[in-house]
Amino acid sequence: MTSFFRAEVDAMTGYIPGEQPKSDSKIIKLNSNENPYPPSPKVKNVLQNFDWEWLRRYPDASATEFRNAASDVLSVPADWIIVGNGSDEVLNLVIRACTDASRKVVYPMPTYVLYRTLVEMQPAQTVEIDYPEDYKLPIEELVKVDGAVTFIATPNSPSGHIVPVEDLQQLASRLSGVLVVDEAYCDFASGDALSVVKEFENVISIRTLSKGYSLAGIRLGFGIANPKLLAGLYKIKDSYNIDAIACAIGAAAMRDQNYKNSCAQKVKISRGRLSEDLKKLGFKVWDSQTNFLLVQPPQGNAEYLYLKLKEQGILIRYFKQEGLEDKLRIAVGTDEENKVLIEALSGLVE
């Protein structure tokens, strides 16, 4: 049968997202790193009072309302911000704008596997460098490749570790291409990379409202970078990539920092409790600056536990890939959800 697709598309595996149960399901869902708490009450107020007249019109192509809100909160000029249909769109814009078949994209592994998919779609050359066991950033190896685009997720998924700002500064100063700092989980971390963005023209921080702001359902992310870097991304983004409702909701959520921070604090406290409970069961637990934990079961039987928990209505994430075969990624749920998880695991590892 003749293929309709490019050879690169035929050869791709494609990104596989976490399993999504039906909305009325009683499944405990700890596989996609979603925030266990609802969005800001101000989001509900926006929806209840939204002017439906704006639905027949095209939305603001630049998402100005949201950019202004983010500008105020982050103390960066609005023209340093580009808004995307989820942070994944902004990642894709960077790949499309900066790479081709003759250019390299480099990142340390394991990390967010969508990077590989985006490069294969372009196509461009992929260079994957293994993280050492201590997850210290392999700066020299990354600099040696000197890719057109270098991805660094901090905090990283699935390891949960954060990359020191000093390492990012050193890397940015030695690269000729773009350094993408993927900060999807920065709302749960002890610091961020905004100072690196302000210092170097070749650095872009990419963030999302899916995690810290409990808005995974509306698909809203943004990039922060020098306008010189954003200029090329604006040339290729979809004309109206952010709908009017998402823009209004995102702006309201962004301005309610007190609520976001209080939820993030609850997650961090629960993360600590869950970590200790898992260690008591014999799990190895990596330190995390995110809303999830990377863990290794005492008997290394990760896939078995993943399947058994699924039978009991508990979804966690298992990655069947090199270096992760004996590990699981568990999103931090509410204390009640975490308790059910621990009780289920207690009956499986004893």
Side-chain angles (χ1 to χ4, degrees), residues 282-303:
F283 284 76
K284 178 179 179 179
V285 182
W286 276 259
D287 290 339
S288 175
Q289 294 268 326
T290 67
N291 66 335
F292 62 83
L293 296 171
L294 179 68
V295 305
Q296 185 180 49
Q299 297 176 330
N301 55 345
E303 186 174 17

Side-chain angles (χ1 to χ4, degrees), residues 18-257:
E19 183 177 351
Q20 194 77 2
K22 295 179 179 179
S23 59
D24 59 350
S25 170
K26 293 184 179 180
I27 291 287
I28 295 179
K29 190 172 184 297
L30 305 175
N31 64 335
S32 298
N33 303 339
E34 293 144 332
N35 198 310
Y37 301 105
S40 163
K42 294 183 179 180
V43 166
K44 183 177 181 180
N45 186 59
V46 168
L47 285 173
Q48 289 176 330
N49 295 285
F50 189 79
D51 183 358
W52 302 108
E53 165 68 10
W54 289 104
L55 294 186
R56 71 174 184 84
R57 302 170 183 252
Y58 286 107
D60 176 4
S62 299
T64 302
E65 183 181 5
F66 176 79
R67 290 168 67 218
N68 287 341
S71 172
D72 292 342
V73 169
L74 300 173
S75 298
V76 296
D79 64 351
W80 280 58
I81 298 169
I82 186 170
V83 188
N85 189 261
S87 60
D88 290 348
E89 184 189 20
V90 187
L91 294 171
N92 197 8
L93 288 176
V94 175
I95 290 292
R96 288 168 52 204
C98 301
T99 71
D100 56 32
S102 67
R103 297 189 178 193
K104 297 177 181 177
V105 177
V106 58
Y107 45 86
M109 285 288 286
T111 192
Y112 188 24
V113 292
L114 181 69
Y115 302 153
R116 180 187 295 163
T117 303
L118 295 177
V119 177
E120 291 174 341
M121 286 165 53
Q122 180 60 357
Q125 300 177 43
T126 304
V127 180
E128 297 180 346
I129 296 173
D130 290 336
Y131 263 120
E133 288 187 10
D134 62 1
Y135 283 102
K136 182 175 176 59
L137 190 67
I139 296 176
E140 296 304 322
E141 291 92 333
L142 294 167
V143 170
K144 185 177 180 180
V145 176
D146 193 24
V149 175
T150 301
F151 284 118
I152 304 294
T154 177
N156 185 53
S157 178
S159 64
H161 81 280
I162 195 168
V163 177
V165 168
E166 296 77 14
D167 288 355
L168 295 173
Q169 289 173 321
Q170 183 182 163
L171 186 58
S173 69
R174 298 173 65 187
L175 294 176
S176 62
V178 175
L179 173 59
V180 177
V181 184
D182 187 347
E183 297 195 280
Y185 299 96
C186 68
D187 295 304
F188 307 101
S190 58
D192 61 44
L194 196 54
S195 62
V196 186
V197 172
K198 294 177 179 179
E199 184 177 356
F200 297 96
E201 291 184 355
N202 65 327
V203 178
I204 180 170
S205 164
I206 298 181
R207 302 187 179 188
T208 180
L209 274 71
S210 295
K211 313 298 183 182
Y213 295 85
S214 306
L215 288 173
I218 68 166
R219 311 308 303 132
L220 190 63
F222 61 104
I224 313 163
N226 189 292
K228 294 179 181 178
L229 179 52
L230 296 186
L233 308 189
Y234 269 109
K235 287 181 180 180
I236 62 170
K237 85 169 186 68
D238 290 345
S239 301
Y240 304 103
N241 60 328
I242 305 300
D243 67 75
I245 295 177
C247 184
I249 286 175
M254 179 63 64
R255 292 192 183 280
D256 197 355
Q257 288 294 299

